[in-house]
Amino acid sequence: MSDRLVVIGSQWGDEGKGKITDYFACRADMVVRYQGGNNAGHSVMFNGKKYSLQSIPSGIFNPDTINIMGNGMVVNPESVVLELQKLRDQGITNFQLYISDRAAMVMPWHADLDGAYEAGKGKKLIGTTKKGIGPAYCDKYSRSGLRMGDLLEPDYFAERLKDAMIIKNKELEMLGLQAYDYQKVYKRFMELAELLGPRIVDTSAIINKALREDGKKILFEGAQGMMLCIDHGTYPFVTSSTPSAASVPVGAGIAPHWIDNVLGVAKAYCTRVGEGPFPTELFDNLAHEIRERGHEYGTVTGRPRRIGWFDGVVARYTSQLAGINHWALMLFDVLSGMETVKICTHYELDGKIVDTPPSTISKLSRCKPVYVELPGWTEDISNMKTYEELPENAKNYVKKIEEITGVLVGVISVGPDRSQTILVSDYLKNF
Ligand code: GDP
Ligand code: IMO
Ligand code: MG
């Protein structure tokens, strides 16, 4: 029987999923992305070099690992080609990558529409990555979108493209945007089909085969984070998919019973890019200090990330929703040198204590965090290799997170490099 591990973001994205996926990918047979698209920016660092991935799974650096972009993703073929070229330019030439023939395709007009919808919202904009992710998922669910497999059948693709463009060009013109020329789009997509064609296959069949094989190790790499979930996040300030482990069966094309081990990636504090409520947000000099120490600027857009204390309410909520059974506690090194550190245990909403996030942003915006304050530590922990070496106060911080969330910390990350990782849980040691 195979070994499976789902890696998901448990806050507002950018928790360090790329680093953790790459770390385990060194021993994995397969890494599967199952939702989102090139709105993701996953960083991986080893041998002194940093790489950034958007749609391509973070197992791409291990030549023996099969990387799969699953059917639940929205795939922009133009961006995949660019990403592959960038990897090759960085010397990554030996890899295995397949793309689901059922994955929804991000078309050029999706980004235009994303920008126009945002502009139309004025001050109430979401702050999307403007990659066209929302409009691409809309077309998927309105059943007018194109899929990656369509590229493999030129006549079928031509017909579907024509149908889609009649409506899309009308919409673009209504919004005062430039319409697209059918012949030009068709020609370019046939070139992309030439470049990506051999990689476009029935990925669900590949994953299902591996699931049934003894000793195969399969990683599922989430994008975004649970608080950006279309159902359970801070709606409408969310993305357009479900980053949860619950998405894996649908987004990879496997049965739900295969999903039993979920590693929730969480920063030792919190960050958020884009708009929307963020109860533990810091606005003072401390936010600036953490941002600079943690290099908290978006991988995709370069935007400065908003900073806040670790939110135990969010962590409890997301661990229950996604079935998280271990935390990967990330960027722990960034907290060294603080006199005290805070963890939010509850919110106060209109004079009452609440222990789960309310559903509306009007209420969530009124939530005031209730904190427990712990003594900090001064030691540089970025070269520590074991849990035992950590300063007592750092260990107490870890224990407090476990106590508040009811979930054990299985991995501690003390720097961006692959080597700066402390494995705590026996299960994860054996993965
Ligand atoms: P992802 O989207 O969840 O993969 O996360 P990102 O890659 O967008 O953002 C995480 C950032 O933190 C990246 O710049 C990583 O290189 C960096 N990083 C990851 N783990 C650590 C860590 O333990 N310490 C520090 N200092 N940086 C880290
Ligand atoms: P990774 O995988 C952080 C945010 C955007 C915006 C909202 C909607 O790197 O953690 P979208 O373009 O998806 O319609 O934007 O979601 N967002 C992310 N924030 N990390 C991400 O991915 C994100 N992907 C989307 O900033 O607030
Ligand atoms: Mg990111």
Side-chain angles (χ1 to χ4, degrees):
M1 191 73 84
S2 59
D3 249 349
R4 287 90 49 201
L5 182 65
V6 183
V7 174
I8 65 154
S10 63
Q11 295 159 332
W12 282 275
D14 300 330
E15 298 91 346
K17 299 173 293 293
K19 171 183 165 162
I20 286 297
T21 304
D22 164 74
Y23 177 81
F24 286 105
C26 299
R27 333 172 206 167
D29 297 283
M30 196 174 275
V31 176
V32 183
R33 276 275 309 266
Y34 56 90
Q35 45 74 233
N38 63 340
N39 48 348
H42 293 184
S43 319
V44 171
M45 196 172 156
F46 55 92
N47 298 340
K49 270 187 169 174
K50 195 162 182 174
Y51 304 88
S52 161
L53 297 163
Q54 290 185 249
S55 300
I56 293 177
S58 302
I60 202 77
F61 305 101
N62 183 6
D64 297 327
T65 304
I66 295 175
N67 288 274
I68 288 183
M69 294 167 57
N71 58 277
M73 289 186 74
V74 284
V75 179
N76 182 330
E78 194 79 70
S79 146
V80 175
V81 166
L82 284 175
E83 219 178 317
L84 285 170
Q85 192 50 49
K86 196 171 144 204
L87 281 172
R88 289 193 189 100
D89 292 346
Q90 290 175 297
I92 309 298
T93 50
N94 187 12
F95 52 76
Q96 304 181 60
L97 176 70
Y98 296 103
I99 305 170
S100 169
D101 49 11
R102 274 111 168 141
M105 194 149 48
V106 182
M107 303 303 287
W109 44 84
H110 287 140
D112 303 340
L113 293 172
D114 198 346
Y117 298 158
E118 282 283 87
K121 290 192 169 87
K123 279 189 184 157
K124 292 181 179 162
L125 87 174
I126 295 168
T128 73
T129 57
K130 296 200 180 146
K131 299 289 179 190
I133 304 301
Y137 272 117
C138 277
D139 279 356
K140 167 177 171 166
Y141 288 104
S142 71
R143 293 151 294 174
S144 55
L146 289 106
R147 307 207 295 184
M148 289 303 285
D150 300 352
L151 289 175
L152 303 178
E153 287 182 62
D155 290 346
Y156 179 68
F157 176 75
E159 195 186 321
R160 299 228 53 226
L161 180 69
K162 213 170 260 166
D163 291 346
M165 286 188 71
I166 292 170
I167 302 169
K168 284 297 145 183
N169 273 342
K170 275 190 193 149
E171 190 180 352
L172 290 166
E173 278 163 1
M174 252 165 47
L175 291 166
L177 298 168
Q178 188 73 42
Y180 281 81
D181 177 76
Y182 171 79
Q183 287 303 338
K184 279 192 192 152
V185 176
Y186 178 77
K187 186 167 167 278
R188 180 58 190 151
F189 274 74
M190 283 301 103
E191 288 165 5
L192 293 167
E194 191 82 16
L195 293 168
L196 296 176
R199 301 188 190 279
I200 303 172
V201 296
D202 178 356
T203 51
S204 154
I206 301 178
I207 307 168
N208 275 293
K209 183 169 176 291
L211 283 170
R212 285 166 176 79
E213 282 174 35
D214 271 348
K216 289 273 183 213
K217 293 187 190 299
I218 306 175
L219 274 174
F220 297 93
E221 177 183 12
Q224 290 77 55
M226 281 303 295
M227 294 308 283
L228 292 171
C229 172
I230 185 82
D231 281 82
H232 301 288
T234 49
Y235 191 88
F237 297 98
V238 292
T239 191
S240 301
S241 67
T242 300
S244 172
S247 263
V248 173
V250 177
I254 62 169
H257 68 254
W258 293 109
I259 303 309
D260 45 8
N261 280 302
V262 184
L263 185 58
V265 188
K267 277 180 179 162
Y269 47 96
C270 277
T271 63
R272 173 165 204 169
V273 269
E275 306 303 315
F278 181 6
T280 63
E281 184 165 13
L282 294 165
F283 298 96
D284 50 16
N285 200 36
L286 192 55
H288 175 73
E289 212 180 293
I290 295 177
R291 184 177 302 115
E292 294 311 309
R293 273 203 231 169
H295 306 290
E296 295 291 3
Y297 294 89
T299 320
V300 178
T301 56
R303 290 178 290 179
R305 294 177 184 143
R306 297 156 65 192
I307 311 285
W309 289 118
F310 187 89
D311 190 332
V313 179
V314 160
R316 259 194 323 259
Y317 174 69
T318 61
S319 64
Q320 287 167 19
L321 285 169
I324 292 170
N325 33 27
H326 283 105
W327 295 117
L329 193 65
M330 311 299 290
L331 292 102
F332 202 29
D333 51 303
V334 175
L335 292 186
S336 284
M338 309 220 166
E339 209 170 307
T340 58
V341 276
K342 289 186 187 177
I343 300 175
C344 167
T345 54
H346 295 87
Y347 300 149
E348 194 194 300
L349 173 62
D350 303 335
K352 291 194 182 114
I353 293 291
V354 292
D355 60 7
T356 55
S359 73
T360 63
I361 51 160
S362 85
K363 278 189 179 165
L364 189 56
S365 307
R366 295 204 303 277
C367 282
K368 295 191 183 71
V370 179
Y371 289 112
V372 53
E373 192 161 359
L374 303 172
W377 56 93
T378 50
E379 295 87 336
D380 174 6
I381 61 170
S382 60
N383 289 314
M384 295 188 178
K385 301 285 177 219
T386 61
Y387 178 79
E388 288 67 37
E389 282 172 76
L390 291 174
E392 264 330 290
N393 285 349
K395 284 184 193 159
N396 288 337
Y397 188 80
V398 171
K399 284 182 200 145
K400 191 49 105 182
I401 286 179
E402 293 181 331
E403 182 192 313
I404 288 170
T405 60
V407 174
L408 295 175
V409 172
V411 187
I412 299 172
S413 176
V414 292
D417 196 87
R418 195 188 269 171
S419 63
Q420 293 171 294
T421 313
I422 302 176
L423 261 185
V424 189
S425 124
D426 283 338
Y427 169 75
L428 294 169
K429 277 182 193 160
N430 293 328
F431 180 84

